[in-house]
């Protein structure tokens, strides 16, 4: 898979650990930054990751900030993005199986590298179940997105 990854100053250290890990799993990674601890704005890194996923240039996206909250909020403003904030293995599996998420957000100040690696491994390996109830729910979410995008 092609994975686009981005982080702000609160998540770049974890991102820098995760990029080689993701590559070791056989995926191609595009790192959009940042690579410093000077204060930057998380939307500036969430947007290029989500645009790459929404356009099909990347199959999935991963976003990291201090808590993952800001990144997930910004990500979910992009049409076609289903981003989940995940800090445990069960949620990593469920968000793919039930919600067909295409972007994962995590917080460097919340999870350590080992847990983050396991979350990513599970999230990348878990397919969407295509269960009828889940497809229907995602359809409803897409309808909400379309309704409010039209008003913007």
């Amino acid at each position: 898979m092609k994975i686009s990854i981005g982080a702000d100053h609160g998540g770049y250290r974890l991102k820098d650990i995760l990029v080689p890990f993701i590559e070791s799993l056989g995926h191609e990674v595009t790192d959009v930054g940042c690579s410093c601890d000077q204060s930057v704005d998380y939307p500036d890194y969430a947007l290029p990751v989500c645009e790459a996923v929404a356009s099909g240039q990347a199959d999935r996206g991963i976003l990291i900030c201090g808590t993952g909250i800001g990144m997930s909020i910004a990500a979910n403003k992009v049409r076609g993005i289903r981003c989940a904030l995940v800090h445990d293995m069960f949620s990593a599996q469920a968000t793919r199986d039930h919600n067909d998420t295409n972007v994962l957000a995590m917080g460097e100040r919340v999870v350590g590298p080992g847990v983050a690696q396991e979350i990513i491994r599970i999230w990348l390996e878990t397919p969407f179940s295509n269960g009828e109830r889940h497809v229907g729910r995602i359809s409803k979410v897409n309808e909400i997105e379309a309704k409010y995008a039209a008003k913007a």
Side-chain angles (χ1 to χ4, degrees):
M1 274 188 274
K2 292 181 181 178
I3 311 298
S4 184
I5 189 168
D8 70 0
H9 60 283
Y12 86 93
R13 289 175 196 86
L14 182 57
K15 174 188 62 72
D16 289 349
I17 292 168
L18 295 174
V19 168
F21 171 74
I22 296 165
E23 291 171 336
S24 78
L25 296 175
H27 304 290
E28 179 184 327
V29 178
T30 300
D31 182 346
V32 303
C34 89
S35 295
C36 67
D37 60 5
Q38 295 175 345
S39 183
V40 297
D41 298 330
Y42 58 82
D44 295 340
Y45 299 92
L47 185 59
V49 167
C50 292
E51 287 178 334
V53 173
S55 71
Q57 292 174 330
D59 300 302
R60 304 248 187 103
I62 297 172
L63 299 169
I64 306 162
C65 63
T67 62
I69 296 168
M71 286 289 202
S72 64
I73 291 170
N76 282 310
K77 299 298 181 187
V78 177
R79 188 175 181 116
I81 296 301
R82 287 178 310 284
C83 178
L85 174 58
V86 173
H87 292 128
D88 64 86
M89 280 66 95
F90 175 79
S91 298
Q93 183 273 328
T95 194
R96 284 289 309 135
D97 184 43
H98 293 192
N99 309 112
D100 196 21
T101 54
N102 51 13
V103 176
L104 173 71
M106 291 187 292
E108 179 180 308
R109 297 174 187 147
V110 180
V111 296
V115 171
Q117 288 173 341
E118 187 62 10
I119 287 168
I120 287 174
R121 187 191 62 72
I122 291 167
W123 186 74
L124 290 173
E125 292 177 358
T126 302
F128 176 50
S129 69
N130 261 317
E132 185 177 338
R133 67 185 172 141
H134 301 305
V135 170
R137 291 170 183 160
I138 291 169
S139 233
K140 288 182 178 188
V141 169
N142 291 339
E143 289 171 14
I144 293 168
E145 182 179 70
K147 175 182 176 181
Y148 286 95
K151 292 181 180 184

